[in-house]
Amino acid sequence: MSVFDDLAGGLVISCQPLLDEPDDPMRDPYVQARVAASVVRGGAVAVRANGVADVKAIRAAVDVPVIGLHKQGVDGVFITPTATHAVDVAVAGAHVVAVDATDRRRPDGRTFADTVRAVRARTDALILADVSTVAEGVAAVRAGADAVATTLSGYTPASPHRDGPDLDLVARLAALVAVPVIAEGRYRSPEQIDRAFAAGAHSVVLGNAVTSPLWITRRLVAATRRTAAGNSEHRA
């Protein structure tokens, strides 16, 4: 039985501080482990975590699968950019390692398939391919990925940039590959989650909309200011 069987039909919650906020007060393994324990109590079927320290802390705090990754921006490839990063995250305790599987050049000069082989040689962890296009997803499965995720749609030159999730990519991948398709990327509402499952998603990942007070508050403040400005113009 695969770890991914435990994820079927459920929500995976990404417990990560904001990548572009080095001073985010949530940037602490203990804090992220407490957040993870809370979302698991709320019904999350798995947790996605960034970095060796957070993976170790969260693995010790929850009894659901941990999807680990290592975010390090190098030449545009920032989700587990090297085979060494992938192995380190797996050794730290991740049941699944999320790896950038786009067609961009990896900073260690190795291919996605090389990374898959490196993880398999050292650990029992499964591989989740984070992709931005259908072609990348199909290629990742051929290279040995155990599942694919739409995480990078909208973040590469080859994919459409939009405010909401790429439901079309979910549907197209679900129709083409024989492994689980994980819907991830800008999911923020129950309606979007329902649409992802209707499109064929195996599970759905939510992140900032659940676990980042900084992101949530900024979004609400910005909306409030727009509303206030609009009301002022109307009164004028």
Side-chain angles (χ1 to χ4, degrees):
M1 183 174 179
S2 169
V3 166
F4 288 107
D5 292 334
D6 296 332
L7 276 58
L11 298 184
V12 178
I13 303 299
S14 182
C15 297
Q16 301 177 42
L18 293 178
L19 181 64
D20 57 355
E21 288 285 346
D23 296 325
D24 186 343
M26 300 286 284
R27 191 175 300 282
D28 180 279
Y30 173 81
V31 171
Q32 292 302 318
R34 294 300 89 203
V35 172
S38 181
V39 299
V40 169
R41 181 171 292 191
V45 296
V47 173
R48 184 166 163 129
N50 173 31
V52 167
D54 283 13
V55 167
K56 286 182 176 178
I58 290 172
R59 174 68 192 267
V62 302
D63 58 1
V64 299
V66 175
I67 301 171
L69 60 137
H70 183 110
K71 283 186 177 176
Q72 180 173 317
V74 182
D75 297 330
V77 177
F78 63 93
I79 295 181
T80 321
T82 71
T84 298
H85 288 131
V87 171
D88 287 347
V89 168
V91 171
H95 300 86
V96 178
V97 181
V99 180
D100 183 311
T102 64
D103 57 12
R104 297 174 293 184
R105 183 179 182 277
R106 301 177 65 79
D108 59 359
R110 304 175 78 172
T111 65
F112 173 76
D114 291 333
T115 299
V116 172
R117 285 190 288 270
V119 172
R120 301 235 193 280
R122 292 278 308 278
T123 77
D124 295 326
L126 301 179
I127 302 293
L128 173 62
D130 284 350
V131 304
S132 68
T133 68
V134 171
E136 290 167 355
V138 171
V141 174
R142 289 174 179 164
D146 299 291
V148 296
T150 59
T151 314
L152 293 171
S153 176
Y155 301 102
T156 68
S159 58
H161 293 234
R162 63 186 79 195
D163 183 58
D166 191 344
L167 292 157
D168 179 63
L169 181 57
V170 173
R172 293 174 68 193
L173 282 171
L176 286 173
V177 300
V179 301
V181 174
I182 312 299
E184 180 173 5
R186 301 175 299 279
Y187 285 89
R188 298 164 186 157
S189 72
E191 293 76 17
Q192 290 171 334
I193 295 168
D194 287 344
R195 291 179 68 190
F197 282 123
H202 183 78
S203 55
V204 180
V205 180
L206 282 82
N208 292 336
V210 175
T211 58
S212 176
L214 177 55
W215 184 91
I216 295 167
T217 304
R218 279 181 176 168
R219 192 172 177 89
L220 291 171
V221 167
T224 301
R225 287 172 178 165
R226 287 195 300 271
T227 301
N231 288 340
S232 296
E233 292 172 4
H234 180 71
R235 287 195 297 270

